[in-house]
Amino acid sequence: MGEFKVHRVRFFDYMPSAIRAMAFNSRTERLALSRADGALEVFNFADSYFQEKVIPGQDGRAVEALCWVRGRLFSAGLNGEITEYDLENLRPKYTMEAYGGPVWTICSNSQGTHLAIGCEDGTVKIFEVLEETIRFQRNLDRQKGRIISLSWHPSGALIAAGMMDMIKVFNAESGHATHRLLVERGVGASKSREVVVWSVAFLSDHTIISGDSAGKVQVWDGVTGTLVRTHLVTKWDVLALSVSRDESSLLAGTSEGTVVQFQFISSTVDQHDKEWVRTRTFKNHTHDVRALAHTDTAVVSGGMDTQLVVRPLLEKVEKNTQESALRKIAFPHRSLVSCGKKAGMLLFQFHGHLELWRLGESDGHGEEKHTCTLSETHGGCQRWQGDDHICCSALSPCGGWLAYSTISSVRLYRLQYNGSNISITKVAKLPKVLRSAHQLCFSSDSSKLFASTTHSSVIIIALSQSECKYLHTLRPKSGTRQPVHLMSASEDGKWLATANSDCEIHVYSLHKLKLHCTVPVYSSCPTAMAIHPTTSNLVMVHADQQIFEYSLVQKEYTEWSRKLQKQGLHHLWLARDTPITHLTFNPRNPAHIIMHDTYMFCIIDQNLPLPDQKTLFYNQMTLRSLPEPERTSHSHSFKICKTFQHLLCVSLLEDHSLVVVERPLLDIASQLPAPVRQKKFAT
Amino acid sequence: MAALYEGYTLCGLVQAQNQSDSGIQGIESERDSDHVVVTDSTRSVTLYKVSDQKPLGSWTVKQGQTLTCSAVYNSHTKEYVAVSDNKVIRVWKEEDIILDKAFKATVSSDVWRVHSVPGGEPVVLFQRGAVRLLDSLLSAPQQPVEEVLAQEEAIRWSTTVIAEAAQFVIFQTEQKGDHFLYLQRPNLNAVQRYRLEREEPGLSPLSFSASYRDKHINLLYLYPNGHVYQSVVSVRGPGMEEEAQALPLPRNLLFALPVGEGLLGAASALALDEAHVAVVGVPHPSAGAGKDFLCIWNTNFQTLQAGKEMSGKIYGQLWSYSSKLFIPHGKSLSVIPYECPKSSLASALGKLRQARTEESKAPASVPSWNTILHGEKVQPSRTVETRKTRTTRKTQSAPSLTVDQVLELIKTAPVEEVQREVEGLLSRSDIQELQPSVGQLASSLVSRSVADPAFYTPGTLAQLVHTQCLCHSVCPDLLLLALERKDYFLCQLCLQLFPDVPEAVTCACLKTFISVPDADADSMSLEPDSVAFMESVITGGRGQGGLQNGFSPAPFEEDGTDPLSGGGAQTKTTAEDKEKTVTEPGQTCPVGLHKAVLLNEVLQTAYSDTFLLPHLKDLSSQQVILFLQYLQFLYLRYSQDTFTQTHGLRSPTLTQIMDWVCLLLDAHFTVLVMTPEAKGLLLNLHRFVKSQVRLFSELGKIEGSLEELQKIKVKKEVGQYSIEVIELF
């Protein structure tokens, strides 16, 4: 296939932020996850754990707890506010001040009619969930000391609240505390320190289970208010608890990075009394496990080490299948890098700022020239309103324009170079219609900016030296309300393709300014797509790793795509657990498609035979060892390179050299704070 | 498949005068699924907590009075209602101790029954067919009661059902061989009257059961010829005129139970859900006559799903509350939990492949919680059993017994027979298949042995332990029993094979082992491998050391170097050294051979130091010193080079020995310091510790240098940015 010059870039200091809270909605199979920077992510567990939606955070908005109420998502944080999210427009719908100081926890009753929040000032506040909003209903009896954790009894009549040194049980009707369960402090030095009940769970048989900062998981009888059993699981804190839906299994996440499973079983054969027995310990984290979810088949955990880990319970899933594999989700399932192909420039998106870099000249020196960090160097004009974080950004192919969007505004900048200097000017007047965008994209000749907004519509802005003009709004006909998460314009300026979370892919004709066609909807969400520069074929890769090629001219799947579907993809390809996040073409060889996931990049040569199930899939080493003439007989269309690891972007510049942006997970791990100290053999 | 689980006895039966009566008038559910009220046929009412098999309260009417209707529980008012001498309604609460002091009211007509269901009001059904709500009746007890039934018509059975928020009283009457069914709504006074189709002449229904499903009341009734009929009555039946003719009640034959020869005497059928019927008093199709079975039939597929033989006489009475069947038989009232999962044709035919059972077959020497415990345990054993029973019944001659039978046998039979049967059972069946029952066998053997001092089956228990299907938590009393009976061989086996011996028990074993007199210890037989190992430890050091390449090392100096530094240099072979070994502590084994073997087992068990430490403190200082001496002896032996060759056998590791030394010292340090005879020992141990510390610091150094080596190898540091050329093929 040949040689590629590769710009190996490791200066993107991308640092995911720690996972703070999690909530799993078993009806929709969506996991909502919040990070320390306030960002919110929604994963679709039914669709290969695809990260469907991302709502950017905001400075000062720390989400401490999340809660689903049917399809609606609520959060509460230490800023004292309750927020409901608009999952269609990927922004907070409203926030409501709770007037109780920082809010530590939020929890809904099983009927989904009320929310309870636990506040710093010692009150548990009950909010009624209304159609469009929530309304404060009343306070339960105020306690001394903060309310750290809450759990409703499934009947909705009782609420257990974890506090400092104790658990209180409230009658939700009367608001009075009915029981006070004293939690013992740790031994030794920690005797003098208050014990924090980080998490409580109230089961339908009136058992209360608590996890606390002394490392205990305790089982209480909620009727009599007596301690039934104490399990000392760690020397550090038990930070999170999660109970399975059938209440037969319980997870506890600790500061040591372990997740301990308890099961409700009888411990000897002839005994019919069941009790909570510690059964398994999972260690998939290096740091605190802050958030846990117990799905029907898996343990989902996340914490300080920023990775989301899905550990299937092997007795619940079929063995040796995709479903039974451990998954670690470390990177976002979307591209944070945009590449100015013609100018050899890279734009890195961080949550609060952007970095623009110019790649070194190809004279072999490889000395890069990094330009600036927008937020720092150009403080005055780039300070965004309301401390909102960036949700998307784009760099024009020529490198002359830069755009980014937060949930409240879109900014466009003009970049000019003279020698090694760069000047950045903000385009002052943007059309009013452009308020915020879910995705931004420049046309290949950098004359247009496409911005997707509500209901999957796309606004087209014409760019010129003098002004920016609103041209048109493209709307899909399907009436979807979901946001666009992928957008791709064709090289020849004819087409624009958008994909949304409903798995719909719409293709617009940019000449006629109207919808050209809708690709047949596939059940899995597209994770990357691009339009071929010469053949106008749209290539799509989905979360379940399937690849499709759709001819925009004929409005049908191409021959190659049909062949691929008929023969089926190689099982090793399907077994990969990170989605393809970027896709591009090689102008020198129109049959080449370049795509990458976190662990590899791949060049698909459409002219070569497809690998069947028996062929050696990762065959680069074999081919290397073979003499030149024999190689053709052994090669197949998937050329996979794993030399570069933990990829954030692979793209092809105009001079046909590859740009590979790496971020080794080890580097991320090394920047994490030190984990809790653990005893090793002779220490 | 539906399944009947192991039952238990709720209470004994007070035998009434005539033998055909169980002595129980009725069982009614109380406040929750775990409480029932049992009314006997004479004078008393008892409240039971079912899971505890314990009576919580009992009330009796005065001598001379009788209860004529079973007591019911009114969940609204939390009161009990019963009727004595047909006319006196009694209402009391749980706090009331003496029934006669509680509320009573005499009504004007004879009462047949009082019915109450959760969610409904108590209803009084008079013998002449009138129905009153209890509340309205008690407001005017002497109110006139009309006669609904004809002159010679008499109620045979009655119940109440809640359907569509309305309460129905259903009762069946007999008039000159004709049978009628009445449906009455007490609040509306609307009666529906149906005539049951005649079965063969002279046959009247043996039992009824009614349930509400899909907007209809389903009636299930059993005739003595084994026919089970189902009739569906619409809740919104036609409004009946007082004098209108009774409608014929359509029925369909659900299935005909095999009755063998003759007719059924006392039998009962009870609908459990839409597809399952529990039947008692009908012979098992594959068992002989004269045996009474409780069976669950699937009506959809007409298959027998589960059966259980009931010992003693069956009275044809059966109640079911919250997945438990209550059945009086012989001299006791048994509670049998059951399960009726949704049935499919595949499962009815036994073709449903269950993922779970598959998993349980996976070879697992460490028992998996999910498969062994509770729920799942019954299913596999049941299938085994039913298959076995069938084969047994067919051949009749084969004397082999099923697991359940053996379990029964263990409770009563003499030692020899138990041993023979259990061994037979073990040798017959596949161990994997038996896995769940091994625990049951062991625990019943142990409980018999505990209860009966004369009963003990060491061989059988050892065999059970050997299957490796047991662990301590399955049968917690086994190891303690073995200790108590001084069966050290079994102790050894348990310690070897159980992965989960608690620290307290380990410590108890240790204590016992240390204090066993050496003479006793030497007489016992232990596992040969471990004995062989220990023999080689005791003799080996002296015997073989010198033979290595003819090298006879110099004796080591008392206070010169530390014992470890020289590696194998400490072995003494020459005759004059032998004398010295006698004086040198740690060179002769301080305990006897067999005792040492047992102690080795303790050393090798898994433990957690936090839990072990408090129990170790129970040892006396003499025991501690002895044990420490033994550990020291082992340690010295192990530090000799000659020792590595025997390590194929199961033996304590050096680390285990060191850990135990540390633990013992932690637990008893102050005591040891104060004990003069321990001084030398402590000094020696101090030397060990020094050598260990030195060893580990050396290891640390090695680790450090190895890490450096690794770093050198991964020299290829990639910078922040580079341009590379790759080639793809």
Side-chain angles (χ1 to χ4, degrees), chain A residues 6-8 10 266 268 366, chain B residues 373 473 720-722 724 726 729:
Chain A
V6 181
H7 295 267
R8 186 174 195 175
R10 286 194 167 197
S266 50
T268 60
Chain B
L373 291 178
S473 42
Q720 290 245 297
Y721 179 65
S722 56
E724 294 175 11
I726 58 160
F729 299 95

Side-chain angles (χ1 to χ4, degrees), chain B residues 617 619-622 624-625 664-678 682:
Chain B
K617 295 198 170 154
L619 295 176
S620 72
S621 63
Q622 286 313 310
V624 171
I625 291 172
L664 279 175
L665 288 179
D666 275 352
H668 289 276
F669 192 70
T670 35
V671 179
L672 288 174
V673 169
M674 307 295 281
T675 319
E677 56 265 47
L682 286 181

Side-chain angles (χ1 to χ4, degrees), chain A residues 2 89 114 176 271 336 458 483 520 593 604 679:
Chain A
N89 292 316
H114 289 87
H176 299 313
Q271 210 172 304
L336 297 176
V458 179
I593 309 169
I604 298 179
K679 199 177 151 172

